[in-house]
Amino acid sequence: MATRRVFIKNTGLFTLSTTVFPFDTSFVTELDTKVRIGIATDSHYAERDPAGTRFYRGALDKMGEFVRVMNKEKVDFVMHMGDFKDEDETQDEKMTLRYLRKIEAVYSGFDGPRYHCIGNHDVDSITKTQFLENIENTGVPKEKSYYSFDHKGLHIIVLDANYNKDGTNHYFLKGADWQDTNLTDQQLDWLEEDLKKTSKPTLVFCHHPLFEFRREGYKFHINDFKKAQRLLEKSGTVLAVLQGHVHEERYSSINGIQYITQNGMVDHQGLENNSFSILEVQAGKMQLYGYKRANDVAF
């Protein structure tokens, strides 16, 4: 197996040697044990022809490489940040479920706890219930699309923005708009209560950005991101929010919280263009160690 030295990209805008994002860590000194999390996003697996930069069929091999590296590195757990699978041109329910099961089988090769955020492409020609029934979030009830857990003194929150404004689930075969994403009042109430119950340093994961993100006339952030930000800031415990969806690396520090997006695994052909990271958190430091197209960043 190739080592990280082979995988890592040491040039570019965001490298460990040149990019440091300071933030207030006065409330996280209790986290003495290092926590290492394998993160990947936007694998978009489906048996369909390439479209633009997306090479859908290659996602199985890329996911396999991610799992092998995370097993070798013995990370504490892995988190996929959404758009785990895709659909083909037929939008056939049975075929889409087959794609989901195939990539979940590869992801399940990780020898430890594994988790998912739900992305918009995860609820395209199948429902959210079908998605949840065919994946595992370790120790989390099947029906939960947003949830939290503790690991080695760190609190983890996973959010789901695949809701219409009226609180109903997104389902794209019934006309949902991928730009109209919401956490909903119910989930925000749950988030507020969950944050009140912990004093642990906290990481938040969500497929959709919880900060304003527009590109080429499209809106990628959730509608109620400002409400979410206020709750996260009020808690005084949130270190960072990690997101997918945009298929690019971006880092924004907003009122002491880091908002981080990552490259899409699906983009560009071949294993040499894979992209995933390990996030290390300990006491007053966070570091992202990037593999291949992903870059190193120290916070």
Side-chain angles (χ1 to χ4, degrees), residues 35-156:
V35 179
R36 304 175 74 235
I37 306 166
I39 58 173
T41 191
D42 293 271
S43 41
H44 286 266
Y45 171 62
E47 292 297 319
R48 60 182 291 183
D49 292 336
T53 62
R54 299 184 183 187
F55 287 77
Y56 302 94
R57 290 185 174 90
L60 288 184
D61 288 340
K62 288 180 176 179
M63 184 61 70
E65 182 175 68
F66 170 70
V67 168
R68 290 192 298 274
V69 172
M70 295 306 108
N71 279 333
K72 182 180 179 182
E73 290 292 330
K74 295 181 169 57
V75 298
D76 289 271
F77 62 88
V78 292
M79 178 72 71
H80 192 282
M81 296 189 297
D83 286 355
F84 191 53
K85 59 103 196 122
D86 213 295
E87 62 183 2
D88 61 33
E89 294 82 352
T90 68
Q91 297 183 307
D92 180 77
E93 177 186 290
K94 290 182 179 180
M95 290 302 296
T96 304
L97 285 171
R98 179 176 172 230
Y99 303 147
L100 173 57
R101 289 164 183 157
K102 283 185 72 172
I103 195 163
E104 176 69 6
V106 178
Y107 191 52
S108 69
F110 174 67
D111 186 22
R114 63 186 192 274
Y115 302 95
H116 295 263
C117 302
I118 299 182
N120 49 299
H121 284 274
D122 294 322
V123 290
D124 44 26
S125 50
I126 62 172
T127 66
K128 187 179 294 185
T129 298
Q130 287 175 304
F131 180 82
L132 291 169
E133 286 175 346
N134 285 278
I135 57 97
E136 177 184 320
N137 291 315
T138 303
V140 177
K142 279 288 188 183
E143 69 275 10
K144 300 291 187 182
S145 67
Y146 52 91
Y147 53 92
S148 67
F149 60 94
D150 293 334
H151 186 87
K152 289 185 178 178
L154 196 64
H155 188 59
I156 307 296

Side-chain angles (χ1 to χ4, degrees), residues 2-3 5 21 33 51 72-73 81 101 115 121 131 145 158 167 170-171 175 202 205-206 219 221 225 237 253 299:
T3 66
R5 185 176 298 276
F21 295 83
T33 302
K72 182 180 179 182
E73 290 292 330
M81 296 189 297
R101 289 164 183 157
Y115 302 95
H121 284 274
F131 180 82
S145 67
V158 177
H170 266 189
Y171 182 32
T202 299
F205 293 86
C206 185
K219 180 179 77 67
H221 55 272
F225 76 93
T237 60
S253 180
F299 299 89

Side-chain angles (χ1 to χ4, degrees), residues 200-252:
K200 294 179 173 65
T202 299
L203 296 177
V204 178
F205 293 86
C206 185
H207 178 67
H208 301 82
L210 271 68
F211 66 101
E212 187 167 7
F213 194 115
R214 298 179 187 273
R215 187 175 63 209
E216 298 174 351
Y218 294 106
K219 180 179 77 67
F220 292 84
H221 55 272
I222 65 172
N223 290 326
D224 39 11
F225 76 93
K226 290 185 178 179
K227 292 181 181 179
Q229 284 183 359
R230 286 194 291 270
L231 294 177
L232 302 182
E233 292 162 13
K234 181 181 176 181
S235 76
T237 60
V238 177
L239 300 177
V241 183
L242 292 103
Q243 304 120 126
H245 195 44
V246 300
H247 293 237
E248 70 174 76
E249 293 175 324
R250 190 176 292 191
Y251 311 95
S252 296

